[in-house]
mmCIF file of all heavy atoms in Angstrom:
data_model
loop_
_atom_site.group_PDB
_atom_site.id
_atom_site.type_symbol
_atom_site.label_atom_id
_atom_site.label_comp_id
_atom_site.label_asym_id
_atom_site.label_seq_id
_atom_site.Cartn_x
_atom_site.Cartn_y
_atom_site.Cartn_z
ATOM 1 N N ALA D 154 34.124 22.889 -6.507
ATOM 2 C CA ALA D 154 33.602 23.405 -7.778
ATOM 3 C C ALA D 154 32.985 24.787 -7.595
ATOM 4 O O ALA D 154 33.185 25.682 -8.436
ATOM 5 C CB ALA D 154 32.583 22.432 -8.369
ATOM 6 N N ASN D 155 32.250 24.988 -6.509
ATOM 7 C CA ASN D 155 31.656 26.292 -6.218
ATOM 8 C C ASN D 155 32.741 27.348 -6.019
ATOM 9 O O ASN D 155 32.648 28.466 -6.538
ATOM 10 C CB ASN D 155 30.765 26.203 -4.977
ATOM 11 C CG ASN D 155 30.210 27.555 -4.585
ATOM 12 O OD1 ASN D 155 29.536 28.218 -5.359
ATOM 13 N ND2 ASN D 155 30.523 27.982 -3.365
ATOM 14 N N LEU D 156 33.765 26.999 -5.289
ATOM 15 C CA LEU D 156 34.880 27.931 -5.060
ATOM 16 C C LEU D 156 35.556 28.286 -6.383
ATOM 17 O O LEU D 156 35.814 29.463 -6.673
ATOM 18 C CB LEU D 156 35.891 27.317 -4.085
ATOM 19 C CG LEU D 156 37.161 28.113 -3.833
ATOM 20 C CD1 LEU D 156 36.861 29.481 -3.235
ATOM 21 C CD2 LEU D 156 38.105 27.310 -2.919
ATOM 22 N N PHE D 157 35.835 27.283 -7.203
ATOM 23 C CA PHE D 157 36.487 27.528 -8.485
ATOM 24 C C PHE D 157 35.657 28.455 -9.363
ATOM 25 O O PHE D 157 36.181 29.410 -9.947
ATOM 26 C CB PHE D 157 36.759 26.216 -9.224
ATOM 27 C CG PHE D 157 37.456 26.433 -10.536
ATOM 28 C CD1 PHE D 157 38.831 26.606 -10.574
ATOM 29 C CD2 PHE D 157 36.751 26.490 -11.725
ATOM 30 C CE1 PHE D 157 39.495 26.835 -11.782
ATOM 31 C CE2 PHE D 157 37.391 26.711 -12.930
ATOM 32 C CZ PHE D 157 38.769 26.882 -12.954
ATOM 33 N N LYS D 158 34.372 28.187 -9.448
ATOM 34 C CA LYS D 158 33.486 29.010 -10.273
ATOM 35 C C LYS D 158 33.520 30.470 -9.817
ATOM 36 O O LYS D 158 33.635 31.388 -10.635
ATOM 37 C CB LYS D 158 32.052 28.468 -10.208
ATOM 38 C CG LYS D 158 31.054 29.219 -11.036
ATOM 39 C CD LYS D 158 29.670 28.595 -10.912
ATOM 40 C CE LYS D 158 28.648 29.432 -11.641
ATOM 41 N NZ LYS D 158 27.284 28.903 -11.451
ATOM 42 N N THR D 159 33.455 30.676 -8.513
ATOM 43 C CA THR D 159 33.497 32.041 -7.965
ATOM 44 C C THR D 159 34.808 32.728 -8.299
ATOM 45 O O THR D 159 34.827 33.878 -8.755
ATOM 46 C CB THR D 159 33.296 32.002 -6.432
ATOM 47 O OG1 THR D 159 32.033 31.392 -6.152
ATOM 48 C CG2 THR D 159 33.350 33.394 -5.832
ATOM 49 N N ILE D 160 35.916 32.043 -8.089
ATOM 50 C CA ILE D 160 37.238 32.635 -8.321
ATOM 51 C C ILE D 160 37.477 32.873 -9.809
ATOM 52 O O ILE D 160 38.002 33.911 -10.207
ATOM 53 C CB ILE D 160 38.348 31.749 -7.719
ATOM 54 C CG1 ILE D 160 38.231 31.717 -6.194
ATOM 55 C CG2 ILE D 160 39.732 32.220 -8.147
ATOM 56 C CD1 ILE D 160 38.341 33.071 -5.519
ATOM 57 N N GLU D 161 37.083 31.938 -10.628
ATOM 58 C CA GLU D 161 37.256 32.105 -12.072
ATOM 59 C C GLU D 161 36.501 33.334 -12.566
ATOM 60 O O GLU D 161 37.017 34.126 -13.355
ATOM 61 C CB GLU D 161 36.792 30.856 -12.807
ATOM 62 C CG GLU D 161 37.039 30.907 -14.300
ATOM 63 C CD GLU D 161 36.597 29.640 -14.994
ATOM 64 O OE1 GLU D 161 35.504 29.112 -14.668
ATOM 65 O OE2 GLU D 161 37.345 29.182 -15.877
ATOM 66 N N GLN D 162 35.270 33.521 -12.070
ATOM 67 C CA GLN D 162 34.454 34.670 -12.490
ATOM 68 C C GLN D 162 34.984 35.986 -11.929
ATOM 69 O O GLN D 162 35.005 36.988 -12.631
ATOM 70 C CB GLN D 162 33.004 34.465 -12.051
ATOM 71 C CG GLN D 162 32.280 33.395 -12.813
ATOM 72 C CD GLN D 162 30.891 33.113 -12.245
ATOM 73 O OE1 GLN D 162 30.522 33.555 -11.173
ATOM 74 N NE2 GLN D 162 30.107 32.340 -12.997
ATOM 75 N N GLN D 163 35.409 35.994 -10.666
ATOM 76 C CA GLN D 163 35.811 37.256 -10.031
ATOM 77 C C GLN D 163 37.264 37.634 -10.294
ATOM 78 O O GLN D 163 37.572 38.815 -10.366
ATOM 79 C CB GLN D 163 35.548 37.200 -8.529
ATOM 80 C CG GLN D 163 34.065 37.190 -8.214
ATOM 81 C CD GLN D 163 33.772 37.472 -6.765
ATOM 82 O OE1 GLN D 163 34.535 38.115 -6.055
ATOM 83 N NE2 GLN D 163 32.632 37.000 -6.296
ATOM 84 N N TRP D 164 38.140 36.649 -10.397
ATOM 85 C CA TRP D 164 39.560 36.966 -10.526
ATOM 86 C C TRP D 164 40.167 36.550 -11.865
ATOM 87 O O TRP D 164 41.007 37.262 -12.396
ATOM 88 C CB TRP D 164 40.367 36.307 -9.408
ATOM 89 C CG TRP D 164 40.195 36.912 -8.042
ATOM 90 C CD1 TRP D 164 39.503 38.041 -7.704
ATOM 91 C CD2 TRP D 164 40.730 36.406 -6.823
ATOM 92 N NE1 TRP D 164 39.581 38.263 -6.357
ATOM 93 C CE2 TRP D 164 40.329 37.272 -5.781
ATOM 94 C CE3 TRP D 164 41.504 35.302 -6.503
ATOM 95 C CZ2 TRP D 164 40.701 37.064 -4.455
ATOM 96 C CZ3 TRP D 164 41.862 35.088 -5.188
ATOM 97 C CH2 TRP D 164 41.465 35.973 -4.181
ATOM 98 N N GLY D 165 39.843 35.367 -12.355
ATOM 99 C CA GLY D 165 40.414 34.887 -13.610
ATOM 100 C C GLY D 165 41.803 34.299 -13.493
ATOM 101 O O GLY D 165 42.298 33.673 -14.424
ATOM 102 N N LYS D 166 42.464 34.511 -12.373
ATOM 103 C CA LYS D 166 43.785 33.931 -12.127
ATOM 104 C C LYS D 166 43.983 33.814 -10.623
ATOM 105 O O LYS D 166 43.267 34.442 -9.838
ATOM 106 C CB LYS D 166 44.905 34.789 -12.722
ATOM 107 C CG LYS D 166 45.132 36.093 -11.966
ATOM 108 C CD LYS D 166 46.419 36.779 -12.376
ATOM 109 C CE LYS D 166 46.626 38.006 -11.496
ATOM 110 N NZ LYS D 166 47.993 38.352 -11.305
ATOM 111 N N VAL D 167 44.944 33.005 -10.238
ATOM 112 C CA VAL D 167 45.316 32.860 -8.834
ATOM 113 C C VAL D 167 46.838 32.898 -8.763
ATOM 114 O O VAL D 167 47.512 32.199 -9.517
ATOM 115 C CB VAL D 167 44.791 31.525 -8.238
ATOM 116 C CG1 VAL D 167 45.321 31.308 -6.827
ATOM 117 C CG2 VAL D 167 43.272 31.501 -8.252
ATOM 118 N N ASP D 168 47.360 33.736 -7.880
ATOM 119 C CA ASP D 168 48.809 33.831 -7.704
ATOM 120 C C ASP D 168 49.310 32.964 -6.552
ATOM 121 O O ASP D 168 50.437 32.473 -6.585
ATOM 122 C CB ASP D 168 49.208 35.287 -7.427
ATOM 123 C CG ASP D 168 48.787 36.211 -8.545
ATOM 124 O OD1 ASP D 168 49.350 36.083 -9.655
ATOM 125 O OD2 ASP D 168 47.874 37.040 -8.331
ATOM 126 N N ILE D 169 48.477 32.804 -5.527
ATOM 127 C CA ILE D 169 48.869 32.070 -4.324
ATOM 128 C C ILE D 169 47.711 31.180 -3.892
ATOM 129 O O ILE D 169 46.592 31.654 -3.735
ATOM 130 C CB ILE D 169 49.226 33.034 -3.170
ATOM 131 C CG1 ILE D 169 50.338 33.999 -3.595
ATOM 132 C CG2 ILE D 169 49.616 32.272 -1.909
ATOM 133 C CD1 ILE D 169 50.479 35.214 -2.685
ATOM 134 N N LEU D 170 48.003 29.910 -3.696
ATOM 135 C CA LEU D 170 47.026 28.964 -3.164
ATOM 136 C C LEU D 170 47.605 28.375 -1.887
ATOM 137 O O LEU D 170 48.673 27.751 -1.920
ATOM 138 C CB LEU D 170 46.733 27.852 -4.172
ATOM 139 C CG LEU D 170 45.875 26.678 -3.676
ATOM 140 C CD1 LEU D 170 44.488 27.156 -3.234
ATOM 141 C CD2 LEU D 170 45.768 25.600 -4.752
ATOM 142 N N VAL D 171 46.914 28.589 -0.784
ATOM 143 C CA VAL D 171 47.349 28.030 0.500
ATOM 144 C C VAL D 171 46.352 26.956 0.911
ATOM 145 O O VAL D 171 45.215 27.258 1.269
ATOM 146 C CB VAL D 171 47.459 29.121 1.591
ATOM 147 C CG1 VAL D 171 47.919 28.502 2.913
ATOM 148 C CG2 VAL D 171 48.399 30.243 1.159
ATOM 149 N N ASN D 172 46.784 25.706 0.823
ATOM 150 C CA ASN D 172 45.968 24.568 1.245
ATOM 151 C C ASN D 172 46.246 24.332 2.724
ATOM 152 O O ASN D 172 47.162 23.612 3.099
ATOM 153 C CB ASN D 172 46.314 23.319 0.425
ATOM 154 C CG ASN D 172 45.805 23.421 -0.988
ATOM 155 O OD1 ASN D 172 44.620 23.610 -1.215
ATOM 156 N ND2 ASN D 172 46.707 23.309 -1.947
#
Side-chain angles (χ1 to χ4, degrees):
N155 176 58
L156 175 61
F157 181 82
K158 181 179 175 184
T159 301
I160 294 301
E161 185 179 43
Q162 289 174 349
Q163 291 194 26
W164 288 354
K166 72 168 185 151
V167 173
D168 301 293
I169 303 164
L170 172 61
V171 180
N172 288 303

